Amino acid sequence: MTTSGPSDRPQRGTERQSFLERRREKIRAEIERNRRGEYTVPTWVLALALVLIVGGWLALIFLA
């Protein structure tokens, strides 16, 4: 039976660092896409706008 020593597992600090590096790279890529004009509106913003429009329309119908 063999036991795994600390050298067999990735270090916790390097795991955290690679997570932060991946996160920073995602943010950089998104900023570059936005600067090129490839931005999109998040789905939740579109859904909220739709709810507000329909709610306002219904309010005009029922409260008028």
Side-chain angles (χ1 to χ4, degrees):
M1 181 166 124
T2 61
T3 59
S4 61
S7 61
D8 294 342
R9 290 183 297 232
Q11 298 283 334
R12 182 76 172 147
T14 58
E15 182 180 317
R16 169 70 76 188
Q17 184 179 6
S18 64
F19 168 77
L20 290 175
E21 288 173 8
R22 285 193 309 268
R23 179 74 177 141
R24 285 185 188 122
E25 184 56 38
K26 281 184 178 181
I27 292 170
R28 281 189 199 109
E30 183 177 355
I31 290 171
E32 288 173 9
R33 281 193 307 272
N34 291 345
R35 286 181 178 165
R36 289 191 304 260
E38 299 176 15
Y39 59 90
T40 57
V41 178
T43 304
W44 67 268
V45 174
L46 295 174
L48 180 63
L50 179 63
V51 167
L52 290 174
I53 291 170
V54 171
W57 182 72
L58 290 173
L60 282 174
I61 290 173
F62 291 115
L63 297 176

